[in-house]
Amino acid sequence: MEEIILLKLGEIVLKGLNKRYFEQKLLANVRRRLIPFGEFRVYSAQSTIYVEPQSESCDTTGAFGNLRTVFGVVSLSRAAACEKEKDAILETAKLYLKEEFSRARSFKVESKRADKRFPMTSIQLSQYVGGLLHDAFPHVAVDVHNPELTVAIEVRDFKAYVHAAPIQGAGGMPVGSNGRAVSLLSGGIDSPVATYMIAKRGISIVPVHFFSFPYTSEQAKEKVLTLAKKLVPYCDDLMVEVVPFTKIQQEMQKSCPEEYFTIVMRRFMMRIAERIAQANGCKALVTGESLGQVASQTMESLAATEQCIDLPVLRPVIGMDKEEIVTIARKIDTFETSILPYEDCCTVFTPRHPKTKPQIRQVEAAEGQMDIAALVDEAVAGIERVRIGG
Ligand code: ATP
Ligand code: MG
């Protein structure tokens, strides 16, 4: 039996004139995700993307699994294709959904006709197929209001498709359709979630990690690369920029009052991230900051953090409780990695009594002895790039 995958498009259907642009992005993203699974024909029609295996050796199950994390897809189903004829549709449903029928206690048939030349109305087709399916599986009751199994029939231009209820897709918008942003990726719980949330809005991500060897270990860096790998199914391949941060911290220790350490480090991160953004055509920075969570995340601290740069800072988890962030971290499978105990560059230099309401003038005075431009240049020159693929 010929089996294909149907992907329903989400918000991009609403995009009017830009619809084609978004659709093309999504088609390209889908095609890229399918590469490891064989040759597929991928095209769109009527707000649906069709994924058709081109040979017996295609791994449709693997492909289906990999498409579940593609942003821009609201739902996915595996479907059996057949001739556009009522009895062919019936026989296909019997065979293809045999297992579903053996488990269900009730069902209904829902038909859609994109091809209005089909000789029956949707209702007539549902009634015809539904009646005979009930004869074939008499232990499964017909229930049009609250069925356990919905048999979907779609009569399209060239063929009819039969499938059970679709599963939920990743939602959002196709990665790359709304530009690029630099995401500051620490080893913690929050920044991978923030990265996922921004990618979901169609943003292509350039992850940046600040690394303070030997204050933080090789394992701390590996942990961040593992987190990046966990994000690849959502973000596509990533090029992680690992920035050497040790020198800045050592210079800071020499001349800054300890209570300003955190805020000064955060400002350096912003400046360097902005430079990376400029080099990569990124229009914003992304952080995992959440209001009030720690001393550096008061409104005053956030203001002082972003005062030294021009790009907007996107903080998608700003209003979320830890529990809410953790729920997403578990869903995208970053949580278990994030809680591994390797130290973060900021924790090494955490002041005993951090300023919770820093004033910009005092912060500027605190970092006044440092040669900011030279330190930023040196850090940028020392960046190591690590490609993370799926
Ligand atoms: P996270 O759970 O993401 O580590 P957090 O609640 O621990 O966040 P902070 O450590 O104050 O918060 O960091 C705030 C944000 O700054 C992080 O979410 C991240 O975006 C960025 N950040 C912090 N440390 C680093 C780092 N070493 N490399 C890259 N980004 C960092
Ligand atoms: Mg952290």
Side-chain angles (χ1 to χ4, degrees):
M1 187 177 312
E2 186 191 337
E3 198 183 25
I4 71 162
I5 299 172
L6 300 175
L7 310 174
K8 300 280 172 188
L9 309 194
E11 280 177 59
I12 65 173
V13 173
L14 307 172
K15 285 282 165 191
L17 286 176
N18 284 334
K19 182 180 159 191
R20 253 199 89 66
Y21 167 76
F22 284 91
E23 216 169 74
Q24 291 306 320
K25 274 276 179 215
L26 182 55
L27 284 170
N29 292 352
V30 166
R31 288 193 181 106
R32 211 168 35 247
R33 293 296 174 89
L34 291 170
I35 291 170
F37 303 101
E39 198 188 325
F40 291 84
R41 180 164 172 249
V42 181
Y43 60 95
S44 69
Q46 295 144 344
S47 306
T48 303
I49 289 182
Y50 295 77
V51 178
E52 300 179 353
Q54 297 297 290
S55 77
E56 288 289 309
S57 64
C58 287
D59 175 5
T60 307
T61 303
F64 190 73
N66 222 24
L67 293 174
R68 295 181 66 166
T69 54
V70 176
F71 288 133
V73 174
V74 273
S75 71
L76 321 73
S77 29
R78 293 173 76 152
C82 67
E83 205 188 317
K84 286 165 41 168
E85 192 277 319
K86 63 184 193 311
D87 290 307
I89 294 171
L90 169 67
E91 291 310 315
T92 303
K94 275 189 202 168
L95 198 63
Y96 188 61
L97 301 177
K98 204 163 80 190
E99 223 170 89
E100 280 83 352
F101 270 102
S102 74
R103 284 196 302 260
R105 280 166 300 180
S106 58
F107 84 105
K108 75 168 174 182
V109 177
E110 226 172 58
S111 305
K112 268 196 223 132
R113 280 183 327 157
D115 174 9
K116 302 296 178 200
R117 290 164 312 176
F118 189 77
M120 295 167 112
T121 65
S122 302
I123 293 173
Q124 285 169 336
L125 180 61
S126 295
Q127 284 173 342
Y128 178 79
V129 175
L132 292 170
L133 280 175
H134 187 48
D135 290 348
F137 304 101
H139 64 286
V140 190
V142 175
D143 178 352
V144 292
H145 299 295
N146 207 4
E148 284 183 10
L149 170 64
T150 298
V151 177
I153 300 172
E154 306 189 27
V155 181
R156 298 266 182 175
D157 288 346
F158 299 106
K159 283 180 180 163
Y161 300 97
V162 177
H163 59 89
I167 64 158
Q168 201 179 6
M173 308 181 78
V175 165
S177 63
N178 284 326
R180 294 161 73 75
V182 162
S183 187
L184 285 79
L185 197 58
S186 68
I189 298 169
D190 306 331
S191 48
V193 171
T195 305
Y196 158 85
M197 289 174 76
I198 293 300
K200 187 172 181 182
R201 299 315 299 161
I203 311 293
S204 178
I205 298 289
V206 177
V208 171
H209 179 65
F210 297 92
F211 183 46
S212 327
F213 192 78
Y215 299 114
T216 58
S217 61
E218 258 324 297
Q219 286 150 308
K221 178 165 108 185
E222 286 306 316
K223 174 182 172 182
V224 172
L225 298 180
T226 305
L227 287 172
K229 192 160 177 76
K230 302 250 179 196
L231 290 168
V232 162
Y234 298 98
C235 301
D236 284 329
D237 289 4
L238 293 169
M239 184 73 91
V240 183
E241 310 244 346
V242 182
V243 182
F245 206 54
T246 316
K247 171 95 179 275
I248 287 171
Q249 288 170 313
Q250 288 167 338
E251 289 300 307
M252 177 184 79
Q253 257 187 322
K254 286 185 202 157
S255 65
C256 286
E258 184 188 303
E259 55 188 349
Y260 288 98
F261 277 5
T262 306
I263 190 75
V264 168
M265 283 191 288
R266 316 256 332 109
R267 282 163 64 91
F268 270 98
M269 288 184 186
M270 291 290 156
R271 293 181 184 110
I272 295 165
E274 187 173 58
R275 288 275 295 272
I276 295 169
Q278 284 156 357
N280 287 278
C282 298
K283 301 281 182 270
L285 307 184
V286 180
T287 73
E289 287 158 317
S290 162
L291 204 52
Q293 203 185 74
V294 290
S296 61
Q297 293 171 15
T298 62
M299 287 188 285
E300 290 81 357
S301 294
L302 296 178
T305 301
E306 65 185 28
Q307 178 265 344
C308 59
I309 55 161
D310 292 325
L311 281 181
V313 181
L314 308 179
R315 301 180 170 99
V317 304
I318 194 72
M320 289 168 75
D321 292 347
K322 200 73 185 182
E323 274 314 303
E324 295 171 309
I325 300 172
V326 164
T327 301
I328 299 178
R330 286 189 194 279
K331 185 177 98 175
I332 62 174
D333 192 33
T334 53
F335 182 73
E336 297 298 329
T337 306
S338 290
I339 59 173
L340 292 174
Y342 310 119
E343 63 297 330
D344 176 81
C345 74
C346 290
T347 45
V348 177
F349 289 88
T350 302
R352 278 158 296 181
H353 305 289
K355 265 269 181 247
T356 52
K357 296 189 174 177
Q359 301 300 308
I360 305 273
R361 283 230 308 280
Q362 297 164 337
V363 176
E364 285 175 343
E367 64 192 15
Q369 301 297 310
M370 300 172 77
D371 187 344
I372 294 172
L375 286 167
V376 168
D377 283 346
E378 192 181 333
V380 170
I383 287 174
E384 176 200 2
R385 292 184 181 82
V386 186
R387 172 170 281 289
I388 309 285

